Amino acid sequence: MATFEPVLTRNWNVPDARSLKVYESRGGYQAARKALTTMDPDAVVGLVKESELRGRGGAGFPCGLKWTFLPKDRTETLMCVNGDESEPATFNNRYLLERDPHMFLEGILISCFATRASTAYVYLRFEYINAYKIMERAIEEARAAGHIGKNIYGSGFDLDVWLHRGAGAYICGEETGLIESLEGKRGWPRIKPPFPAIEGAFRKPTVVNNIETLCCVPHIVERGASWFKSIGTPKSYGPKLYTVSGHVEKQVCVELPLGVSARELIDVHGGGVWKGRKAKAAVPGGISMGILSADELDTPLDFDGPGKVGCLGLGTAAVTVIDDHTPIIDYLHNTARFFSHESCGQCTPCREGTNWLDRTIGRIKRGGGRIEDLDVMHDLAKNMGIMPGTTICGLADGAAWPIKNAVTKFRGELEDYIRSNQVPGAGPTPLQVDVAAGRKVDLVAIGNAIPAPPPPAGALHSPGRPTA
């Protein structure tokens, strides 16, 4: 393979790279001019489809193929760009917005032309205040220069771009939850079908893409599908932004070919595990993907690699390192609390399952754990999620996968923790044990055993006497 040339980050160290003047001086918007003035929309769709660009937001669905799902007879198309980026430890989209906003806008322009979308909504994570201000300025510059607006480059194509800020909900990273929020409603994922391509935002055909996905499009138009497919691994083509955080010496965002190993990211780009320690585990792509053990750190981080070692997938390629001084129960505790808090509550298995997992792990942390809790947690995790067919969206899968991985890969450590951290009175009550075991419970006897509440303060005990 030829020497890798970064393209997504090529302007990051250029002074004032976020300005339109500097971006244009480095070839910016030339790919858009090429697409709008020398190609038709179907040709652009075909080029992206040929490149086999896969979505960078987590699911890895082929971008060009998604664009072909739009109805042929549609009269209006909308583009929704997912900039929610609420997966913990993920910050590659934020860097793209803050350091090179016009590359992102060029990707929107070409993608909207390809899909015949006349309006694009960028759904931006509320906490990204600096990115929001930078994007506002970039959109104003692009509109004033004719890159956004009416009859762009004399092609007859019209486009406007609007920013919409979220309200801090993880569930709005799911495409239909995002659309519901965009429409001003509660961010609850929709039952599918219909899919957004048929009936999306405001009941119109809608394309939903991730920021990094769209940032790849100008480079595909400029350099071709063959160039894009010369990077990465089979079925996982192109460059990828990886973030490395957690227990490392340097927390970084780097652009590399798809398929780099977690070990290389940690040792070469992250400066190694901090404080001279060793890695116990690493999250490959956001906490919803599960966990890699120390023996699995050479796994290629492409769209297929993590799945071969029991993880949900590549996700957002946000690698989070856990050192050998950190108990796995602490990782599970934080993960379970997060998903229990962020579940929208629409689906019973997710609403109740994430809560039960959070409470069970919390009890283990307090010293009331039982060995059988691990089996109960694992069985519960296997039966909640969109893949077993019990929920509308994948949040439950993301909540379940870390549990399944940790119980399978770190069973010995978890059992040792339970045995060596017993606190009297911290475990389940006899009633809870009976209910969990399916034993018959005498509710009358339980009711009689509960002491009567004391009389209210100031009440007179003489029967029939009125109180003041």
Side-chain angles (χ1 to χ4, degrees):
M1 181 184 296
T3 302
F4 175 66
E5 176 191 355
V7 290
L8 300 175
T9 60
R10 66 182 180 181
N11 295 330
W12 282 12
N13 295 320
V14 177
D16 204 21
R18 65 180 61 155
S19 71
L20 176 61
K21 180 179 179 181
V22 171
Y23 184 70
E24 288 182 329
S25 72
R26 295 179 60 79
Y29 288 107
Q30 291 304 308
R33 288 183 182 275
K34 174 184 176 181
L36 270 64
T37 60
T38 69
M39 303 173 71
D40 63 45
D42 291 341
V44 179
V45 172
L47 179 63
V48 173
K49 189 175 179 181
E50 181 188 354
S51 74
E52 299 187 43
L53 167 65
R54 296 175 65 171
R56 268 48 175 166
F61 194 83
C63 178
L65 180 61
K66 177 187 279 192
W67 291 354
T68 66
F69 294 160
L70 293 163
K72 301 298 182 186
D73 59 349
R74 66 191 185 278
T75 57
E76 185 176 358
T77 311
L78 301 178
M79 168 78 72
C80 287
V81 187
N82 190 343
D84 192 57
E85 195 168 52
S86 49
E87 184 71 28
T90 306
F91 48 94
N92 44 21
N93 287 343
R94 177 170 64 84
Y95 272 40
L96 287 167
L97 295 176
E98 293 180 351
R99 299 189 177 193
D100 204 348
H102 283 285
M103 179 175 66
F104 171 45
L105 287 177
E106 185 173 12
I108 291 178
L109 174 55
I110 297 171
S111 301
C112 285
F113 173 73
T115 56
R116 297 178 171 88
S118 57
T119 304
Y121 298 99
V122 180
Y123 188 96
L124 195 61
R125 179 177 175 174
F126 178 80
E127 292 88 346
Y128 283 1
I129 297 172
N130 192 40
Y132 175 75
K133 294 177 180 178
I134 291 170
M135 283 303 304
E136 274 195 318
R137 289 194 295 269
I139 290 172
E140 289 174 2
E141 285 184 314
R143 188 176 286 122
H147 300 302
I148 297 173
K150 301 290 186 182
N151 192 26
I152 302 171
Y153 311 144
S155 64
F157 177 67
D158 303 337
L159 173 67
D160 217 337
V161 179
W162 303 100
L163 290 178
H164 181 94
R165 300 177 74 185
Y170 176 81
I171 195 63
C172 289
E174 195 276 340
E175 60 181 14
T176 59
L178 182 155
I179 289 171
E180 289 286 293
S181 176
L182 181 68
E183 293 177 350
K185 296 179 284 188
R186 177 183 290 183
W188 272 11
R190 296 176 180 174
I191 295 175
K192 299 177 282 291
F195 291 91
I198 305 299
E199 189 176 298
F202 311 107
R203 304 303 173 187
K204 301 181 185 299
T206 303
V207 181
V208 184
N209 282 127
N210 165 264
I211 288 174
E212 186 182 345
T213 308
L214 297 190
C215 285
C216 291
V217 172
H219 304 292
I220 293 171
V221 172
E222 177 187 355
R223 299 173 181 235
S226 297
W227 161 80
F228 191 80
K229 295 177 74 171
S230 70
I231 303 168
T233 60
K235 302 303 178 182
S236 297
Y237 299 116
K240 182 76 186 76
L241 293 183
Y242 292 90
T243 59
V244 187
S245 62
H247 298 156
V248 287
E249 293 291 347
K250 296 187 297 181
Q251 315 226 359
V252 295
C253 177
V254 293
E255 179 183 358
L256 294 166
L258 267 165
V260 66
S261 71
R263 194 178 305 279
E264 179 181 337
L265 285 168
I266 296 167
D267 293 343
V268 176
H269 303 282
V273 183
W274 71 347
K275 301 179 181 180
R277 299 176 183 174
K278 296 180 179 180
K280 173 185 286 187
V283 176
I287 60 173
S288 59
M289 295 298 107
I291 193 169
L292 300 170
S293 67
D295 296 334
E296 297 167 341
L297 295 181
D298 290 315
T299 301
L301 298 184
D302 55 20
F303 290 109
D304 298 322
K308 295 177 180 178
V309 290
C311 293
L312 184 54
L314 176 65
T316 59
V319 175
T320 310
V321 181
I322 302 168
D323 70 21
D324 57 357
H325 286 49
T326 303
I328 287 297
I329 192 66
D330 288 352
Y331 154 77
L332 284 179
H333 188 226
N334 288 334
T335 300
R337 281 193 303 169
F338 175 81
F339 284 114
S340 177
H341 180 269
E342 295 297 336
S343 172
C344 76
Q346 185 176 190
C347 304
T348 302
C350 182
R351 180 185 67 247
E352 299 300 323
T354 55
N355 184 44
W356 274 77
L357 291 171
D358 179 32
R359 291 164 62 187
T360 301
I361 293 169
R363 173 164 51 77
I364 294 172
K365 278 275 293 179
R366 294 191 300 272
R370 305 168 303 158
I371 300 299
E372 52 265 41
D373 286 334
L374 302 179
D375 295 320
V376 173
M377 288 163 53
H378 192 269
D379 288 344
L380 176 59
K382 286 195 303 183
N383 290 288
M384 53 185 278
I386 195 171
M387 281 186 275
T390 61
T391 58
I392 293 172
C393 87
L395 185 144
D397 300 87
W401 230 269
I403 305 297
K404 291 188 284 189
N405 272 189
V407 171
T408 300
K409 298 178 181 182
F410 294 92
R411 175 92 188 206
E413 178 183 329
L414 292 170
E415 289 185 356
D416 289 343
Y417 182 92
I418 290 171
R419 292 190 183 99
S420 59
N421 289 272
Q422 292 295 319
V423 176
T429 65
L431 172 60
Q432 290 172 326
V433 173
D434 288 341
V435 171
R439 289 190 283 269
K440 184 176 180 180
V441 177
D442 188 344
L443 297 178
V444 174
I446 293 172
N448 292 335
I450 299 174
L460 299 177
H461 295 286
S462 299
R465 241 181 115 176
T467 58

